[in-house]
């Protein structure tokens, strides 16, 4: 195979792997009933005028499966952090005892579990669309090479390789989704 085809295949695989990495990151934000610091990953605090991730202004710990505690690095940040959690609209009601913020993670209802499973399916579908778009771009690049004089056989085998990569990553997305759905639906 030519160097250009190798480059296209390498960049295709890298882009598809990035879709998987993004999906895994999105799945971390979908809670499955157990408390986790990742649940607060989307919360940003107004720290002296700039939006700062919560993990950079407070120590986040999980003492048990239903509780998250936040110990601000600066005492005057308690109300600001509390407000940021409320504004983030992630379904938590923080309580402030003067030193730490305590968040009780409520058990998921059956309806909420189904909604979270739908959200997971939606994220997985977005990842599949991303993988298919990468395949389309790669096949377009391969067709350009064929028009520029690369052998038809080399281009055909490159297109087959792109399809094999696509199948592999779509299967991986389906497996990740099945695992996440099982985690969400487990009571």
């Amino acid at each position: 195979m030519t160097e250009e085809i190798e480059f296209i295949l390498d960049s295709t695989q890298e882009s598809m792997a990035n879709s998987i990495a993004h999906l895994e990151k999105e799945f971390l934000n979908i809670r499955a009933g157990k408390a986790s610091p990742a649940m607060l990953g989307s919360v940003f605090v107004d720290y002296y005028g700039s939006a700062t991730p919560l993990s950079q202004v407070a120590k986040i710990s999980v003492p048990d499966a239903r509780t998250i505690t936040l110990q601000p690095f600066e005492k005057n940040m308690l109300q600001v952090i509390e407000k940021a959690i409320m504004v983030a609209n992630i379904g938590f009601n923080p309580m402030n005892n003067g030193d730490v913020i305590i968040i009780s993670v409520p058990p998921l209802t059956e309806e909420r579990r189904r909604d979270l499973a739908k959200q997971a399916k939606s994220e997985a579908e977005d990842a599949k669309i991303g993988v298919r778009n990468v395949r389309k771009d790669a096949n377009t690049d391969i067709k350009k090479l064929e028009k520029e004089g690369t052998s038809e056989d080399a281009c055909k085998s490159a297109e087959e390789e792109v399809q094999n990569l696509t199948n592999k990553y779509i299967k991986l997305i389906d497996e990740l989704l099945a695992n996440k759905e099982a985690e969400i639906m487990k009571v």
Side-chain angles (χ1 to χ4, degrees):
M1 265 194 244
T2 67
E3 210 172 282
E4 292 97 348
I5 290 177
E6 286 294 324
F7 176 76
I8 291 170
L9 292 176
D10 288 347
S11 63
T12 299
Q13 181 154 8
E14 186 179 330
S15 296
M16 289 181 179
N18 287 341
S19 290
I20 297 293
H22 178 75
L23 176 66
E24 289 171 335
K25 187 173 168 243
E26 290 300 318
F27 276 178
L28 283 177
N29 292 333
I30 299 174
R31 71 187 185 107
K34 225 169 48 179
S36 156
M39 294 174 164
L40 301 173
S42 61
V43 178
F44 283 84
V45 178
D46 180 28
Y47 186 68
Y48 298 110
S50 66
T52 308
L54 181 59
S55 60
Q56 292 181 11
V57 294
K59 177 181 171 239
I60 304 172
S61 57
V62 183
D64 61 59
R66 295 258 172 253
T67 311
I68 300 173
T69 60
L70 300 160
Q71 175 92 47
F73 299 135
E74 296 177 28
K75 205 143 182 117
N76 64 342
M77 293 300 292
L78 274 170
Q79 276 78 29
V80 178
I81 291 172
E82 217 175 353
K83 183 179 174 207
I85 293 168
M86 298 294 273
V87 169
N89 197 19
I90 49 178
F92 294 139
N93 203 6
M95 293 175 290
N96 170 352
N97 72 2
D99 291 323
V100 295
I101 295 171
I102 301 165
I103 300 172
S104 293
V105 179
L108 295 172
T109 63
E110 187 64 32
E111 182 182 338
R112 183 71 179 133
R113 287 180 194 279
R114 278 198 277 278
D115 288 346
L116 290 172
K118 266 188 210 161
Q119 186 182 345
K121 261 190 187 125
S122 170
E123 293 295 344
E125 195 52 47
D126 289 348
K128 286 181 182 180
I129 289 168
V131 166
R132 290 182 190 123
N133 285 339
V134 170
R135 174 186 62 191
K136 187 182 91 174
D137 294 344
N139 285 337
T140 302
D141 291 345
I142 291 168
K143 293 246 188 291
K144 278 183 194 164
L145 287 178
E146 192 174 350
K147 284 180 183 163
E148 291 170 7
T150 306
S151 80
E152 194 177 321
D153 289 343
C155 291
K156 281 282 179 236
S157 67
E159 284 176 357
E160 286 173 18
E161 183 61 32
V162 167
Q163 186 58 47
N164 290 341
L165 284 172
T166 303
N167 294 343
K168 173 182 150 190
Y169 282 101
I170 295 286
K171 184 175 180 228
L172 184 57
I173 289 169
D174 288 336
E175 289 169 9
L176 289 170
L177 175 62
N179 292 342
K180 188 63 179 180
E181 282 181 327
E183 183 185 329
I184 290 170
M185 298 312 276
K186 187 175 74 181
V187 180

